[in-house]
PDB file of all heavy atoms in Angstrom:
ATOM      1  N   VAL A 951     -84.463  64.841 -14.199  1.00 42.00           N
ATOM      2  CA  VAL A 951     -84.958  66.060 -13.586  1.00 42.00           C
ATOM      3  C   VAL A 951     -86.147  66.612 -14.381  1.00 42.00           C
ATOM      4  O   VAL A 951     -87.147  66.958 -13.849  1.00 42.00           O
ATOM      5  CB  VAL A 951     -83.900  67.062 -13.297  1.00 42.00           C
ATOM      6  CG1 VAL A 951     -84.496  68.358 -12.898  1.00 42.00           C
ATOM      7  CG2 VAL A 951     -82.846  66.602 -12.303  1.00 42.00           C
ATOM      8  N   SER A 952     -85.969  66.700 -15.730  1.00 45.00           N
ATOM      9  CA  SER A 952     -87.028  67.214 -16.460  1.00 45.00           C
ATOM     10  C   SER A 952     -88.338  66.375 -16.404  1.00 45.00           C
ATOM     11  O   SER A 952     -89.520  66.753 -16.537  1.00 45.00           O
ATOM     12  CB  SER A 952     -86.627  67.557 -17.817  1.00 45.00           C
ATOM     13  OG  SER A 952     -86.363  66.335 -18.503  1.00 45.00           O
ATOM     14  N   ALA A 953     -88.034  64.970 -16.391  1.00 46.00           N
ATOM     15  CA  ALA A 953     -89.279  64.061 -16.378  1.00 46.00           C
ATOM     16  C   ALA A 953     -90.044  64.196 -15.016  1.00 46.00           C
ATOM     17  O   ALA A 953     -91.139  63.765 -14.921  1.00 46.00           O
ATOM     18  CB  ALA A 953     -88.725  62.665 -16.645  1.00 46.00           C
ATOM     19  N   CYS A 954     -89.348  64.561 -13.877  1.00 47.00           N
ATOM     20  CA  CYS A 954     -90.026  64.487 -12.650  1.00 47.00           C
ATOM     21  C   CYS A 954     -90.701  65.875 -12.446  1.00 47.00           C
ATOM     22  O   CYS A 954     -91.379  66.050 -11.398  1.00 47.00           O
ATOM     23  CB  CYS A 954     -88.889  64.463 -11.509  1.00 47.00           C
ATOM     24  SG  CYS A 954     -88.214  62.771 -11.501  1.00 47.00           S
ATOM     25  N   GLY A 955     -90.608  66.751 -13.371  1.00 47.00           N
ATOM     26  CA  GLY A 955     -91.261  68.098 -13.220  1.00 47.00           C
ATOM     27  C   GLY A 955     -92.773  67.957 -13.097  1.00 47.00           C
ATOM     28  O   GLY A 955     -93.279  67.497 -12.123  1.00 47.00           O
ATOM     29  N   LYS A 956     -93.484  68.210 -14.076  1.00 42.00           N
ATOM     30  CA  LYS A 956     -94.979  68.240 -14.124  1.00 42.00           C
ATOM     31  C   LYS A 956     -95.543  66.949 -14.749  1.00 42.00           C
ATOM     32  O   LYS A 956     -95.214  66.678 -15.872  1.00 42.00           O
ATOM     33  CB  LYS A 956     -95.477  69.409 -14.994  1.00 42.00           C
ATOM     34  CG  LYS A 956     -96.883  69.732 -14.830  1.00 42.00           C
ATOM     35  CD  LYS A 956     -97.269  70.961 -15.555  1.00 42.00           C
ATOM     36  CE  LYS A 956     -98.673  71.180 -15.400  1.00 42.00           C
ATOM     37  NZ  LYS A 956     -99.116  72.461 -16.069  1.00 42.00           N
ATOM     38  N   VAL A 957     -96.315  66.231 -13.918  1.00 41.00           N
ATOM     39  CA  VAL A 957     -96.791  64.974 -14.448  1.00 41.00           C
ATOM     40  C   VAL A 957     -98.375  65.227 -14.433  1.00 41.00           C
ATOM     41  O   VAL A 957     -98.937  65.641 -13.500  1.00 41.00           O
ATOM     42  CB  VAL A 957     -96.514  63.760 -13.403  1.00 41.00           C
ATOM     43  CG1 VAL A 957     -97.220  62.491 -13.850  1.00 41.00           C
ATOM     44  CG2 VAL A 957     -95.136  63.572 -13.274  1.00 41.00           C
ATOM     45  N   SER A 958     -98.902  64.907 -15.604  1.00 38.00           N
ATOM     46  CA  SER A 958    -100.320  65.078 -15.768  1.00 38.00           C
ATOM     47  C   SER A 958    -101.142  63.800 -15.546  1.00 38.00           C
ATOM     48  O   SER A 958    -100.705  62.774 -16.141  1.00 38.00           O
ATOM     49  CB  SER A 958    -100.570  65.608 -17.190  1.00 38.00           C
ATOM     50  OG  SER A 958    -101.938  65.681 -17.402  1.00 38.00           O
ATOM     51  N   THR A 959    -102.051  63.826 -14.660  1.00 36.00           N
ATOM     52  CA  THR A 959    -102.876  62.635 -14.342  1.00 36.00           C
ATOM     53  C   THR A 959    -104.242  62.968 -14.933  1.00 36.00           C
ATOM     54  O   THR A 959    -104.855  63.916 -14.644  1.00 36.00           O
ATOM     55  CB  THR A 959    -102.916  62.288 -12.909  1.00 36.00           C
ATOM     56  OG1 THR A 959    -102.175  63.264 -12.141  1.00 36.00           O
ATOM     57  CG2 THR A 959    -102.626  60.950 -12.612  1.00 36.00           C
ATOM     58  N   PRO A 960    -104.815  61.979 -15.655  1.00 36.00           N
ATOM     59  CA  PRO A 960    -106.142  62.166 -16.043  1.00 36.00           C
ATOM     60  C   PRO A 960    -107.147  62.091 -15.001  1.00 36.00           C
ATOM     61  O   PRO A 960    -106.945  61.388 -13.978  1.00 36.00           O
ATOM     62  CB  PRO A 960    -106.406  60.942 -17.055  1.00 36.00           C
ATOM     63  CG  PRO A 960    -105.405  59.944 -16.786  1.00 36.00           C
ATOM     64  CD  PRO A 960    -104.164  60.682 -16.170  1.00 36.00           C
ATOM     65  N   THR A 961    -108.128  63.029 -14.994  1.00 36.00           N
ATOM     66  CA  THR A 961    -109.112  63.029 -13.935  1.00 36.00           C
ATOM     67  C   THR A 961    -110.524  62.910 -14.566  1.00 36.00           C
ATOM     68  O   THR A 961    -110.712  63.226 -15.726  1.00 36.00           O
ATOM     69  CB  THR A 961    -109.028  64.344 -13.220  1.00 36.00           C
ATOM     70  OG1 THR A 961    -109.368  65.472 -14.062  1.00 36.00           O
ATOM     71  CG2 THR A 961    -107.724  64.645 -12.405  1.00 36.00           C
ATOM     72  N   SER A 962    -111.489  62.450 -13.707  1.00 34.00           N
ATOM     73  CA  SER A 962    -112.842  62.332 -14.284  1.00 34.00           C
ATOM     74  C   SER A 962    -113.523  63.590 -14.151  1.00 34.00           C
ATOM     75  O   SER A 962    -113.165  64.474 -13.263  1.00 34.00           O
ATOM     76  CB  SER A 962    -113.578  61.224 -13.364  1.00 34.00           C
ATOM     77  OG  SER A 962    -113.048  60.121 -13.375  1.00 34.00           O
ATOM     78  N   PRO A 963    -114.520  63.918 -14.969  1.00 36.00           N
ATOM     79  CA  PRO A 963    -115.205  65.205 -14.827  1.00 36.00           C
ATOM     80  C   PRO A 963    -115.893  65.287 -13.546  1.00 36.00           C
ATOM     81  O   PRO A 963    -116.300  64.198 -12.950  1.00 36.00           O
ATOM     82  CB  PRO A 963    -116.158  65.130 -15.946  1.00 36.00           C
ATOM     83  CG  PRO A 963    -116.292  63.780 -16.508  1.00 36.00           C
ATOM     84  CD  PRO A 963    -115.021  63.071 -16.055  1.00 36.00           C
ATOM     85  N   PRO A 964    -116.179  66.452 -12.916  1.00 39.00           N
ATOM     86  CA  PRO A 964    -116.882  66.480 -11.695  1.00 39.00           C
ATOM     87  C   PRO A 964    -118.291  66.033 -11.833  1.00 39.00           C
ATOM     88  O   PRO A 964    -118.923  66.215 -12.811  1.00 39.00           O
ATOM     89  CB  PRO A 964    -116.768  67.998 -11.353  1.00 39.00           C
ATOM     90  CG  PRO A 964    -116.430  68.734 -12.572  1.00 39.00           C
ATOM     91  CD  PRO A 964    -115.701  67.675 -13.434  1.00 39.00           C
ATOM     92  N   VAL A 965    -118.753  65.422 -10.690  1.00 40.00           N
ATOM     93  CA  VAL A 965    -120.140  64.972 -10.714  1.00 40.00           C
ATOM     94  C   VAL A 965    -120.986  66.023 -10.074  1.00 40.00           C
ATOM     95  O   VAL A 965    -120.734  66.361  -8.953  1.00 40.00           O
ATOM     96  CB  VAL A 965    -120.248  63.609  -9.955  1.00 40.00           C
ATOM     97  CG1 VAL A 965    -121.636  63.121  -9.792  1.00 40.00           C
ATOM     98  CG2 VAL A 965    -119.357  62.558 -10.581  1.00 40.00           C
ATOM     99  N   SER A 966    -122.050  66.340 -10.772  1.00 38.00           N
ATOM    100  CA  SER A 966    -123.022  67.362 -10.220  1.00 38.00           C
ATOM    101  C   SER A 966    -123.941  66.692  -9.276  1.00 38.00           C
ATOM    102  O   SER A 966    -124.620  65.705  -9.641  1.00 38.00           O
ATOM    103  CB  SER A 966    -123.713  68.013 -11.387  1.00 38.00           C
ATOM    104  OG  SER A 966    -124.702  68.903 -10.871  1.00 38.00           O
ATOM    105  N   THR A 967    -124.003  67.264  -8.048  1.00 40.00           N
ATOM    106  CA  THR A 967    -124.907  66.667  -7.028  1.00 40.00           C
ATOM    107  C   THR A 967    -126.427  67.276  -7.173  1.00 40.00           C
ATOM    108  O   THR A 967    -127.350  66.687  -6.575  1.00 40.00           O
ATOM    109  CB  THR A 967    -124.512  66.870  -5.673  1.00 40.00           C
ATOM    110  OG1 THR A 967    -124.319  68.258  -5.463  1.00 40.00           O
ATOM    111  CG2 THR A 967    -123.138  66.125  -5.416  1.00 40.00           C
ATOM    112  N   ASP A 968    -126.492  68.289  -8.021  1.00 43.00           N
ATOM    113  CA  ASP A 968    -127.910  68.860  -8.075  1.00 43.00           C
ATOM    114  C   ASP A 968    -128.542  68.470  -9.377  1.00 43.00           C
ATOM    115  O   ASP A 968    -129.508  69.081  -9.898  1.00 43.00           O
ATOM    116  CB  ASP A 968    -127.848  70.396  -7.970  1.00 43.00           C
ATOM    117  CG  ASP A 968    -126.924  70.918  -8.931  1.00 43.00           C
ATOM    118  OD1 ASP A 968    -126.259  70.270  -9.804  1.00 43.00           O
ATOM    119  OD2 ASP A 968    -126.809  72.236  -8.916  1.00 43.00           O
ATOM    120  N   SER A 969    -128.015  67.355  -9.994  1.00 41.00           N
ATOM    121  CA  SER A 969    -128.745  66.779 -11.132  1.00 41.00           C
ATOM    122  C   SER A 969    -130.038  66.215 -10.839  1.00 41.00           C
ATOM    123  O   SER A 969    -130.238  65.549  -9.782  1.00 41.00           O
ATOM    124  CB  SER A 969    -127.781  65.657 -11.724  1.00 41.00           C
ATOM    125  OG  SER A 969    -128.485  64.987 -12.741  1.00 41.00           O
ATOM    126  N   PRO A 970    -131.044  66.383 -11.709  1.00 45.00           N
ATOM    127  CA  PRO A 970    -132.372  65.875 -11.364  1.00 45.00           C
ATOM    128  C   PRO A 970    -132.317  64.284 -11.305  1.00 45.00           C
ATOM    129  O   PRO A 970    -133.309  63.704 -10.793  1.00 45.00           O
ATOM    130  CB  PRO A 970    -133.307  66.322 -12.540  1.00 45.00           C
ATOM    131  CG  PRO A 970    -132.328  66.750 -13.523  1.00 45.00           C
ATOM    132  CD  PRO A 970    -130.967  67.069 -13.027  1.00 45.00           C
ATOM    133  N   ASN A 971    -131.346  63.665 -11.839  1.00 46.00           N
ATOM    134  CA  ASN A 971    -131.393  62.217 -11.849  1.00 46.00           C
ATOM    135  C   ASN A 971    -130.761  61.599 -10.586  1.00 46.00           C
ATOM    136  O   ASN A 971    -130.753  60.463 -10.282  1.00 46.00           O
ATOM    137  CB  ASN A 971    -130.594  61.698 -13.091  1.00 46.00           C
ATOM    138  CG  ASN A 971    -131.248  62.001 -14.467  1.00 46.00           C
ATOM    139  OD1 ASN A 971    -132.451  62.160 -14.373  1.00 46.00           O
ATOM    140  ND2 ASN A 971    -130.443  62.112 -15.389  1.00 46.00           N
ATOM    141  N   MET A 972    -130.244  62.496  -9.736  1.00 45.00           N
ATOM    142  CA  MET A 972    -129.553  62.032  -8.489  1.00 45.00           C
ATOM    143  C   MET A 972    -130.469  61.685  -7.385  1.00 45.00           C
ATOM    144  O   MET A 972    -130.208  60.919  -6.454  1.00 45.00           O
ATOM    145  CB  MET A 972    -128.497  63.094  -8.037  1.00 45.00           C
ATOM    146  CG  MET A 972    -127.374  63.362  -8.978  1.00 45.00           C
ATOM    147  SD  MET A 972    -126.364  61.888  -9.292  1.00 45.00           S
ATOM    148  CE  MET A 972    -125.460  61.803  -7.755  1.00 45.00           C
ATOM    149  N   SER A 973    -131.633  62.329  -7.291  1.00 48.00           N
ATOM    150  CA  SER A 973    -132.570  62.039  -6.276  1.00 48.00           C
ATOM    151  C   SER A 973    -133.805  61.495  -6.786  1.00 48.00           C
ATOM    152  O   SER A 973    -134.360  61.827  -7.883  1.00 48.00           O
ATOM    153  CB  SER A 973    -132.852  63.336  -5.397  1.00 48.00           C
ATOM    154  OG  SER A 973    -133.498  64.300  -6.350  1.00 48.00           O
ATOM    155  N   PRO A 974    -134.455  60.429  -6.124  1.00 55.00           N
ATOM    156  CA  PRO A 974    -135.673  59.852  -6.607  1.00 55.00           C
ATOM    157  C   PRO A 974    -136.810  60.930  -6.641  1.00 55.00           C
ATOM    158  O   PRO A 974    -136.920  61.805  -5.780  1.00 55.00           O
ATOM    159  CB  PRO A 974    -136.000  58.767  -5.721  1.00 55.00           C
ATOM    160  CG  PRO A 974    -135.316  59.130  -4.379  1.00 55.00           C
ATOM    161  CD  PRO A 974    -134.109  60.023  -4.768  1.00 55.00           C
ATOM    162  N   GLU A 975    -137.748  60.721  -7.575  1.00 61.00           N
ATOM    163  CA  GLU A 975    -138.928  61.517  -7.695  1.00 61.00           C
ATOM    164  C   GLU A 975    -139.846  61.190  -6.343  1.00 61.00           C
ATOM    165  O   GLU A 975    -139.838  60.061  -6.001  1.00 61.00           O
ATOM    166  CB  GLU A 975    -139.720  61.164  -8.942  1.00 61.00           C
ATOM    167  CG  GLU A 975    -139.043  61.698 -10.253  1.00 61.00           C
ATOM    168  CD  GLU A 975    -139.018  63.155 -10.334  1.00 61.00           C
ATOM    169  OE1 GLU A 975    -139.985  63.792  -9.967  1.00 61.00           O
ATOM    170  OE2 GLU A 975    -138.023  63.645 -10.646  1.00 61.00           O
TER     171      GLU A 975
END
């Protein structure tokens, strides 16, 4: 029961869509 409690899953950092590298010049 204690093992089924809170399971932590690693996540990727959020990707910013307003980064200048995301759209072509």
Side-chain angles (χ1 to χ4, degrees):
V951 170
S952 68
C954 291
K956 189 173 181 182
V957 177
S958 175
T959 357
T961 59
S962 300
V965 177
S966 172
T967 55
D968 55 3
S969 167
N971 296 332
M972 294 300 285
S973 61
E975 288 292 318

